[in-house]
Amino acid sequence: MSQQPHKPTPGWLTLLPTAWLLVFFVVPFAIMLSVSVAHRVSGGFYEPGFELDSYLRFFSVFFGKILLTSVMISAGAAVICVLLAFPFTLSLARMKQRGQTVVLVILLSVLSLSEVIIGFSLSTLLSKTAGVGNLLAFLGIIEESRAYTPSLLALMTGMCYLALPYSVLVLYPPVSRLDPELGEASRMMGASPLQTFRTVTLPMLRKPMVGALILVFVFTLGIYLLPQVLGQPQHWTLSVHITDQAIFQSNLPFAAAMAVLLLLVSLLMVGLSLLLSRDKGAET
């Protein structure tokens, strides 16, 4: 039975991704870029122009504190998530197939929860009247119930809860493909479990771990609601300050400039992650 010749893909189908990218990325980015260099009108919004005043504010102490806070919080959440996800994923890969499926389904279910649900649920859980403070007071660990939100602890808890599944899902494929015979060979040569982990397991998973760090960093860098619900004003990230400048300060050019910076940093980190993935593929 002869096979029918493969029909070539219509040329117009290749234009759909290009049109999608143009309409939903290039055009909005161009508008945001033009607003970032516009002239701010006192008591109003802005008028067309070309000024770099908004970008020059990046060198101010005010913006330096905002950027440092955003980077430190996102980097801290990324490190915590990877440190928690790494041993968890190693244990997950050693489970039976059915157990792995159940855990992965639970992780995917967590991903279906919105930032709003997680934020307000943790706000209630960490409150003084209906939170863990009552349980700790009942057990005698603390003298009386207290609230743990708003605080940096509550904010980091919410960000890690939201981003931890992503870390596990990034680490799971390379961890599940690890050859157990490598560890056995290392132990047969006299290496301790710690030496095997340090010299065999960790080097093989270094790039996936860096990829997970970058992914969580980019993801948490754009979180908007959790810093307002669980954190204090000094914990507000760049996304919160963008909204504050645009809506409450009526400074759209500066808000657009910060949004441009946030987008460029995110694209840079994503590009770095893709570069690491490509290098990994080239090595294999």
Side-chain angles (χ1 to χ4, degrees):
M1 184 175 180
S2 61
Q3 296 181 352
Q4 295 182 356
H6 177 71
K7 295 182 180 180
T9 304
W12 61 269
L13 285 178
T14 60
L15 296 177
L16 292 180
T18 304
W20 182 275
L21 182 65
L22 180 66
V23 173
F24 293 100
F25 178 78
V26 177
V27 173
F29 180 75
I31 296 174
M32 185 169 60
L33 191 61
S34 64
V35 173
S36 68
V37 296
H39 172 68
R40 184 190 180 192
V41 179
S42 179
F45 290 96
Y46 67 93
E47 61 184 12
F50 185 81
E51 297 179 356
L52 298 178
D53 294 348
S54 297
Y55 290 96
L56 292 177
R57 290 191 66 182
F58 289 169
F59 301 98
S60 64
V61 177
F62 168 73
F63 182 78
K65 291 181 179 180
I66 295 175
L67 185 61
L68 181 62
T69 298
S70 300
V71 170
M72 293 298 293
I73 290 178
S74 297
V79 171
I80 293 173
C81 285
V82 172
L83 289 179
L84 293 177
F86 187 69
F88 178 82
T89 310
L90 289 176
S91 302
L92 176 63
R94 296 190 180 99
M95 296 174 60
K96 295 182 178 180
Q97 190 67 34
R98 180 175 297 181
Q100 293 183 25
T101 303
V102 172
V103 173
L104 291 175
V105 169
I106 294 175
L107 287 175
L108 293 175
S109 301
V110 173
L111 293 179
S112 65
L113 299 177
S114 68
E115 188 179 347
V116 177
I117 296 176
I118 294 175
F120 285 102
S121 297
L122 287 176
S123 178
T124 302
L125 183 63
L126 299 176
S127 65
K128 180 178 180 180
T129 56
V132 295
N134 288 330
L135 177 62
L136 296 178
F138 175 78
L139 296 176
I141 300 177
I142 58 177
E143 295 183 359
E144 59 180 3
S145 179
R146 51 163 297 189
Y148 295 95
T149 182
S151 65
L152 181 61
L153 174 64
L155 175 58
M156 296 300 293
T157 301
M159 296 177 73
C160 292
Y161 183 88
L162 191 63
L164 182 62
Y166 292 98
S167 302
V168 175
L169 293 177
V170 170
L171 292 174
Y172 175 73
V175 169
S176 62
R177 290 194 298 265
L178 282 177
D179 189 355
E181 294 182 357
L182 294 176
E184 295 176 1
S186 176
R187 289 190 292 271
M188 289 179 62
M189 295 179 65
S192 64
L194 181 59
Q195 291 175 329
T196 300
F197 173 79
R198 182 173 56 85
T199 59
V200 178
T201 305
L202 192 59
M204 296 181 66
L205 297 176
R206 182 176 293 123
K207 288 185 177 180
M209 291 176 64
V210 173
L213 279 170
I214 294 175
L215 175 65
V216 175
F217 177 81
V218 173
F219 177 70
T220 55
L221 194 63
I223 285 181
Y224 169 72
L225 181 66
L226 292 184
Q228 298 182 83
V229 176
L230 300 177
Q232 297 177 350
Q234 60 266 30
H235 305 141
W236 284 1
T237 56
L238 193 59
S239 301
V240 181
H241 284 282
I242 290 174
T243 304
D244 179 69
Q245 290 293 323
I247 297 178
F248 300 103
Q249 307 298 329
S250 298
N251 193 347
L252 283 178
F254 187 44
M258 288 194 292
V260 170
L261 177 65
L262 178 61
L263 179 60
L264 292 178
V265 171
S266 300
L267 290 177
L268 178 63
M269 300 304 291
V270 171
L272 179 60
S273 179
L274 293 176
L275 181 62
L276 292 175
S277 301
R278 187 183 64 181
D279 291 343
K280 180 183 177 182
E283 290 177 2
T284 57

